[in-house]
């Protein structure tokens, strides 16, 4: 399979050369070539190529990661879907049944998860039983040891510090509920049109770094002004510093990944007997075909790979945090918890072995004062995007939007905390660097979504290859 896939990539690369004028007469394009012809070779700002990522993700990482995400610890995510939009009031709620989210009943969530959203060990969780009804941390403190109190206060202080790239939900809020991610999968819901366009438009136009000289909308959903402006549109990216260029590519990659999911889990048939979900090739082509998108689609897919590398790098950096002997993926099921930690470490060591990691040392590497200022701008822009997720009118889209932005924000937090991670104690509370359960669940599920997107691209390649 690997050789055949390599041959197909090579064949598509040869077709690209023919199209660019190096092979004489241009042959007719296949549907696969129009989407993937330019999605090969090395990625901008990276030393990694698409083919290496495909092989690593699809055959070494994806199966084990999916198994981990099906476990109790990672399938339950606490989220507040009732937070009001902080930017505008005219939110049109999606009335389609596929937009709805079914929260968990109290008895459906493992006790270990409910009683300890910030604890990882059985010993620590035993201390919390009498405080299960407490709404504030102050009430919890009375039953905790002095060491644990100090750890909790330090963690809370850190969670609210300027190192966070996301505005996370208050999971102590009565409106916050657990959701089973396996029972509420990300897929096409029918949420589209002006409301969906407005969300992405605000993200691109008001939160990406855009020079004042650029008049064309950054939002790829906006109406194009013609192919002649394609090179002009992207030339401004080349003129930006690597951090601002990366910011746009991360958002574009997240957007592309979501669109891949919606195309791969599309409602193909809806009758009173059954619903059939599957790959919608037409929908995929409308979003990524090189001709239908006037050259934009393949760029979106390359940005998806860029996002993959960023999150992959963050996971490789945070290995020491999970290797500590007192860390557990605590659910209350001791056998399952130990097995899941072993699987988690296997996955992380596999990720660490990846040969072509993104080099984040180029980020914020200039003058210290200017670098800190740029990092703060970067953080505030992304934090603002996390708040925009509360304006999404489709609750299922809001759920997955919040989870994936928090996951990416956690990845960025890790990348910019390298020294803090290196200084962590081998055991005991980590005061300087800490991840809450919410951050851990969102980090791995967000990367799971990107990993799934890369895997689905292989499926769409194969499906499109049969269309001529």
């Amino acid at each position: 399979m690997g050789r055949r896939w390599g041959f197909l990539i090579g064949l598509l690369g040869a077709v690209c050369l023919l199209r660019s004028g190096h092979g004489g007469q241009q042959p007719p394009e296949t549907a696969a070539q129009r989407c993937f012809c330019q999605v090969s070779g090395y990625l901008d700002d990276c030393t990694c190529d698409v083919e290496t990522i495909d092989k690593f993700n699809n055959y070494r990482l994806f199966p084990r990661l999916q198994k981990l995400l099906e476990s109790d610890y990672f399938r339950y995510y606490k989220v507040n879907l009732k937070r009001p939009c902080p930017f505008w009031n005219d939110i049109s709620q999606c009335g389609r049944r596929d937009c709805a989210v079914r929260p968990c009943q109290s008895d459906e969530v493992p006790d270990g998860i409910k009683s300890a959203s910030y604890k990882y060990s059985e010993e620590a969780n035993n201390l919390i039983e009498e405080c299960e009804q407490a709404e504030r941390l102050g009430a919890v403190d009375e039953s905790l040891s002095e060491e644990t109190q100090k750890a909790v206060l330090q963690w809370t202080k850190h969670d609210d510090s300027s190192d966070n790239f996301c505005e996370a939900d208050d999971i102590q809020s009565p409106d916050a509920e657990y959701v089973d991610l396996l029972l509420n999968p990300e897929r096409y819901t029918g949420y589209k049109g002006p409301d969906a366009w407005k969300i992405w438009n605000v993200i691109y136009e008001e939160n990406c770094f855009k020079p004042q000289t650029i008049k064309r909308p950054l939002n790829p959903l906006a109406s194009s002004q013609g192919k002649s402006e394609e090179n002009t549109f992207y030339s401004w990216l080349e003129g930006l510093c690597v951090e601002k260029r990366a910011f746009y590519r991360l958002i574009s990659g997240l957007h592309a990944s979501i669109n891949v999911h919606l195309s791969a889990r599309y409602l193909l048939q809806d009758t009173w007997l059954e619903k059939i979900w599957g790959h919608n090739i037409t929908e995929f082509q409308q979003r990524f075909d090189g001709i239908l998108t006037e050259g934009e689609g393949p760029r979106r897919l390359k940005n998806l790979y860029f996002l993959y590398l960023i999150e992959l790098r963050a996971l490789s950096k945070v290995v020491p945090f999970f290797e500590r002997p007192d860390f557990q993926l605590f659910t209350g099921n001791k056998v399952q918890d130990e097995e899941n930690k072993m699987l988690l470490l296997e996955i992380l060591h596999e990720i660490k072995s990846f040969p072509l990691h993104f080099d984040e040392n180029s980020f914020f590497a200039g003058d210290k004062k200017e670098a800190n200022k740029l990092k703060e701008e970067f953080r505030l822009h992304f934090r603002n995007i996390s708040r925009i997720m509360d304006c999404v009118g489709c609750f299922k889209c809001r759920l997955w939007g919040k989870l994936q932005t928090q996951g990416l924000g956690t990845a960025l937090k890790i990348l910019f905390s390298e020294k803090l991670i290196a200084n962590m104690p081998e055991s005991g509370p980590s005061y300087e660097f800490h991840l809450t359960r919410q951050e851990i669940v969102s980090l791995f599920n967000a990367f799971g979504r990107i990993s799934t997107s890369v895997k689905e691209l292989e499926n769409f390649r194969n499906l499109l290859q049969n269309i001529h």
Side-chain angles (χ1 to χ4, degrees), residues 234-241 245:
Y234 281 97
S235 64
W236 69 269
L237 273 177
E238 297 174 1
L240 289 178
C241 64
R245 187 163 62 237

Side-chain angles (χ1 to χ4, degrees), residues 116-186:
S117 59
Y118 52 83
K119 284 288 169 288
Y120 305 117
S121 68
E122 185 173 7
E123 178 183 359
N125 279 286
N126 289 336
L127 297 173
I128 302 180
E129 184 175 356
E130 67 184 71
C131 305
E132 194 171 359
Q133 303 301 320
E135 293 184 359
R136 291 297 161 199
L137 194 59
V140 175
D141 287 346
E142 296 175 359
S143 67
L144 303 180
S145 66
E146 183 177 350
E147 181 185 16
T148 305
Q149 288 181 44
K150 185 176 180 181
V152 171
L153 290 174
Q154 290 285 348
W155 293 341
T156 304
K157 181 179 179 181
H158 181 74
D159 291 338
D160 293 334
S161 73
S162 60
D163 288 334
N164 278 2
F165 283 76
C166 276
E167 183 172 301
D169 287 342
D170 176 11
I171 60 173
Q172 302 298 329
S173 167
D175 289 330
E177 298 178 290
Y178 281 101
V179 174
D180 186 336
L181 298 175
L182 299 184
L183 297 181
N184 294 274
E186 183 180 28

Side-chain angles (χ1 to χ4, degrees), residues 272-291:
W272 66 277
L273 285 175
E274 63 177 344
K275 286 186 175 185
I276 299 178
W277 303 86
H279 295 81
N280 187 323
I281 298 175
T282 301
E283 187 74 18
F284 182 86
Q285 288 179 293
Q286 289 176 348
R287 299 174 187 269
F288 300 109
D289 185 285
I291 293 178

Side-chain angles (χ1 to χ4, degrees), residues 28 45 57 144 197 204 222 224 230 248 325 355 364 408-409 451:
D45 297 324
N57 179 76
L144 303 180
W197 183 90
Y204 281 107
S224 173
E230 179 186 338
Y248 175 82
F364 311 108
L408 178 53
S451 174

Side-chain angles (χ1 to χ4, degrees), residues 14-77:
V15 173
C16 284
L17 291 175
L18 289 173
R19 289 181 58 205
S20 61
H22 298 287
Q25 186 176 1
Q26 296 181 0
E29 291 182 311
T30 66
Q33 290 159 4
R34 295 212 319 249
C35 286
F36 294 104
C37 183
Q38 300 173 46
V39 188
S40 62
Y42 286 92
L43 298 166
D44 298 334
D45 297 324
C46 303
T47 59
C48 187
D49 59 276
V50 168
E51 293 77 17
T52 299
I53 296 174
D54 284 340
K55 183 178 179 181
F56 176 78
N57 179 76
N58 297 351
Y59 303 109
R60 294 172 61 182
L61 197 59
F62 177 79
R64 281 183 286 181
L65 182 59
Q66 294 306 303
K67 180 180 178 181
L68 180 71
L69 296 180
E70 290 173 358
S71 67
D72 284 351
Y73 187 89
F74 288 98
R75 69 186 291 179
Y76 296 107
Y77 179 64

Side-chain angles (χ1 to χ4, degrees), residues 83-84 86-87 164-169 203 207 247 251 254 379-392 398 401-409:
R83 286 179 61 174
F87 301 107
N164 278 2
F165 283 76
C166 276
E167 183 172 301
D169 287 342
I203 289 175
N207 291 280
F247 191 95
I251 300 306
L254 179 60
R379 187 188 68 84
L380 291 177
H381 277 253
F382 193 85
R383 194 176 178 94
N384 212 39
I385 290 175
S386 72
R387 299 175 69 205
I388 294 173
M389 292 300 112
D390 286 315
C391 301
V392 177
R398 184 182 298 190
K402 288 167 76 76
L403 182 144
Q404 290 177 82
T405 52
Q406 185 180 20
L408 178 53

